[in-house]
Amino acid sequence: MSVDAARRARYLEALGIDLWVPRVAPARSPAVANVAPSAPPDAVAAPARLADPTGPGLVEGLHALAEGAAADLPVAADWEGLRAQVRACTRCGLHRGRTQAVFASGDPAARWMVVGEAPGADEDRLGEPFVGRAGQLLNAMLAAIGLPRPTVFVANMLKCRPPQNRDPRPEELAACRPYLERQLELLRPTLLLVVGRIAAQNLLGTEAPLGRLRGRVHAVGGLNLPAIVTYHPAYLLRSPSDKRKAWEDLKLARRVFGELASGKPP
Ligand code: URA
């Protein structure tokens, strides 16, 4: 653990904060050392599909093999390289249906980072995260705690849109994970705001329901980055009665950020 991470861990301990230990340990690159993917990439499904060399499964199986091999490639070490790598990524099958990969938005020196689930149709078209209706609500949520959207770094667990906005698959999350890990390393935000069950469970390596993940500060990855979990804005659009609870989460996030930024224990 680096001096920085150790200091942060001591600070988080003083705050009574959980340190989450990932369920599985394997690391594909230095960037994924502490937050493990929940499943290996695509290639594992290939042998069954390859069994009939005359059927359509052959091509699919070869794609899966190629994608699995790509998942072992190292991840670029700087913003420019990482952005280019994400743009050209073929680590999982989602690249075939995308208009473009959605890297992130916001200030690369931001102290706040929002982590969402995956691009939707608007994001796929425009190449930016959270630009649709959910994005408008996210902007309002951030503004409510005094954060203009451009001052916040916003990224998703997945960089490519799942078809019909279905839930991300474990192998897609695993394939994309090194990109998010590198984004965390390069940004080193003071606080992460994790929106929605899928992002929260995957980032924290837990199956606990969202309700149990709210209301406290988690520490993510080898850097022990502090993280607060709240509802996904798309969920809040469907269930506006939970906006009150989201507001509680946002106030907690603002308070914790203030404490972390000031360097004073609460
Ligand atoms: N939902 C997300 O989780 N991310 C986006 O970028 C858009 C909608």
Side-chain angles (χ1 to χ4, degrees), residues 36-113:
S38 44
D42 263 354
V44 285
R49 285 196 238 143
L50 283 169
D52 172 10
T54 58
L58 177 62
V59 173
E60 237 183 275
L62 290 174
H63 272 305
L65 280 175
E67 286 156 8
D72 288 328
L73 292 175
V75 177
D78 60 20
W79 283 119
E80 206 184 321
L82 187 60
R83 187 181 286 275
Q85 195 175 4
V86 166
R87 206 174 282 152
C89 181
T90 57
R91 284 177 187 241
C92 80
L94 293 180
H95 71 92
R96 288 196 284 276
R98 74 183 175 215
T99 306
Q100 57 195 315
V102 177
F103 181 71
S105 72
D107 182 356
R111 300 175 78 190
W112 285 80
M113 177 169 175

Side-chain angles (χ1 to χ4, degrees), residues 128-164:
E128 263 201 49
F130 284 102
V131 289
R133 280 186 68 224
Q136 283 166 22
L137 180 54
L138 176 67
N139 294 350
M141 290 163 71
L142 295 173
I145 51 168
L147 296 171
R149 164 78 183 250
T151 66
V152 178
F153 192 84
V154 181
N156 286 308
M157 301 294 298
L158 287 190
K159 309 307 186 206
C160 295
R161 181 193 182 201
Q164 281 79 50

Side-chain angles (χ1 to χ4, degrees), residues 176-196:
C176 221
R177 184 57 175 259
Y179 298 137
L180 184 72
E181 294 291 337
R182 188 68 90 213
Q183 288 177 323
L184 293 174
E185 264 189 12
L186 288 169
L187 189 69
R188 293 183 186 235
T190 303
L191 188 63
L192 293 167
L193 184 65
V194 184
V195 297

